[in-house]
Amino acid sequence: MTANRGPRAATDGRELRLWKAGWALTVIFTAAILAAGSVFYGLVYLLDFQEVDTTAKLDAKTLFDMVKLSFGVVAGAGALVALVVAYRRQRVDEAGAYREATRLHTERFSKAVEQLGADSPAVQLGGVHALANLADDAPDDNLRQTCIDVLCAYLQLPFTPDPGDDPAHQLERHRYLALRKVRHTILRLIGDHYRRPRGTHRSWQGCDLDLTGVTIDGGSFMDFSGASFSGSRVSFVLASFSGGGVSFDRASFSGGEVAFNSASFSGGMVFFTGASFSGGRVTFGGASFSGGRVTFEDATGSSPQGLRIPAAPTVTLPPAWQLTNP
């Protein structure tokens, strides 16, 4: 699994693609003439009409019927023109509304990113919530994915480790705790959104997560329990689990991919209890375990690819799964 993702379908088909008015009118009039001709000849066939009486004179009633028919044709043509104009106006209005929504989203996105890059942890926390709300209200999947990518990028930034309880480093300790609060909030928000059913408001299911190299430290926990990974890709490659954890309990993997390749488990925990694997991939190639724990109890489906069991068994698997030992 790589962190690079291919382009997604842009804007959900909201781009303005209209026929020119001349072409639209030509097509509509042609269709109307063909339809009228088909109806006329169909009636002639059904009524078994043989010939036209050329000696018949044009009476007042027939003339009045022809006038009514002419006015009907003109009115129908006018209705068709009005229909084309209304169609174009509606599409133009829809495209304008989408452009306006995108413009507002971009403005809010710039402000949120500026907050996230501020020096104050409190301002950063406000930027985190602003980006999460933007992802919820994004006009299309591409803009939603961009917001999620920025939140993941913040988690990938290097941060100063805990300076300890030494009174001489009290200010550093307070700043460390404040920044850790920001990171833990991002982890919590990601988990909350992924547990929401796909297609509902505030659901991020189907979006990719690039958590390559992140540190899940003590006190942090990502809850993906009950989430569905269908087609999305989640990367914990080179991640470090030192006291924190991730729960995929009862999660469903059907075509999605979650990679823990070369991740380090030193006290951290990952749970796949009751998870279902049907076409999805979960890989642990090159992962190292030194006190951490990974459990697949009651999981169903095929065994994850590339899983390595250390000398001291800290990985729990269903009995039917085949293990690949180093």
Side-chain angles (χ1 to χ4, degrees), residues 63-73:
L63 179 61
F64 182 68
D65 289 339
M66 292 179 64
V67 172
K68 287 196 300 182
L69 179 61
S70 299
F71 277 109
V73 171

Side-chain angles (χ1 to χ4, degrees), residues 77-97:
L80 290 176
V81 173
L83 180 63
V84 172
V85 173
Y87 160 74
R88 289 180 61 86
R89 182 182 296 114
Q90 179 182 358
R91 289 301 308 240
V92 170
D93 290 344
E94 290 176 354

Side-chain angles (χ1 to χ4, degrees), residues 5 20 32 58 103 116 133-134 154 162 164 181 197 204-205 210 212 221 234 258 260 265 289 296 301 303 314 322 326:
R5 292 180 292 269
K20 292 183 178 180
L58 184 66
R103 184 185 66 80
L116 195 61
N133 291 332
L134 271 176
Y154 182 91
D162 188 353
K181 175 68 174 177
W204 294 356
Q205 288 189 18
D210 184 7
T212 302
F221 194 84
V234 182
V258 181
F260 291 90
F265 296 87
F289 300 88
F296 290 86
S303 173
T314 58
Q322 298 295 323

Side-chain angles (χ1 to χ4, degrees), residues 122-311:
V123 177
Q124 292 182 11
L125 191 60
V128 167
H129 286 284
L131 276 173
N133 291 332
L134 271 176
D136 296 339
D137 301 332
D140 59 59
D141 289 340
N142 274 345
L143 295 177
R144 178 176 296 109
Q145 184 66 62
T146 300
C147 295
I148 297 173
D149 288 343
V150 173
L151 292 175
C152 291
Y154 182 91
L155 293 174
Q156 293 173 325
L157 293 175
F159 67 99
T160 305
D162 188 353
D165 297 329
D166 189 343
H169 301 289
Q170 186 174 10
L171 292 178
E172 291 84 349
R173 170 71 174 175
H174 289 167
R175 181 170 177 79
Y176 163 79
L177 293 175
L179 291 175
R180 192 176 74 165
K181 175 68 174 177
V182 177
R183 297 170 60 83
H184 289 183
T185 300
I186 296 176
L187 295 174
R188 176 179 58 81
L189 288 174
I190 290 176
D192 289 344
H193 285 80
Y194 258 82
R195 286 188 290 111
R196 295 181 178 274
R198 187 168 187 171
T200 61
H201 182 57
R202 300 184 65 215
S203 173
W204 294 356
Q205 288 189 18
C207 295
D208 297 340
L209 283 176
D210 184 7
L211 299 171
T212 302
V214 300
T215 298
I216 311 295
D217 56 352
S220 59
F221 194 84
M222 295 187 70
D223 187 4
F224 290 112
S225 58
S228 176
F229 295 89
S230 176
S232 60
R233 290 169 286 183
V234 182
S235 171
F236 287 101
V237 174
L238 296 172
S240 175
F241 296 85
S242 57
V246 182
S247 172
F248 292 96
D249 292 347
R250 304 179 310 282
S252 174
F253 299 89
S254 55
E257 182 177 353
V258 181
F260 291 90
N261 299 337
S262 302
S264 173
F265 296 87
S266 56
M269 297 177 293
V270 180
F271 300 98
F272 290 90
T273 305
S276 173
F277 300 90
S278 56
R281 297 179 61 202
V282 180
T283 60
F284 284 82
S288 62
F289 300 88
S290 58
R293 181 187 175 195
V294 179
T295 177
F296 290 86
E297 288 185 284
D298 300 323
T300 60
S302 58
S303 173
Q305 301 180 16
L307 184 62
R308 298 292 187 271
I309 305 301

Side-chain angles (χ1 to χ4, degrees), residues 27-45 69 72-74 76-77 80:
V27 171
I28 291 177
F29 275 119
T30 302
I33 292 173
L34 291 176
S38 300
V39 172
F40 176 78
Y41 283 105
L43 290 175
V44 168
Y45 176 79
L69 179 61
V73 171
V74 173
L80 290 176

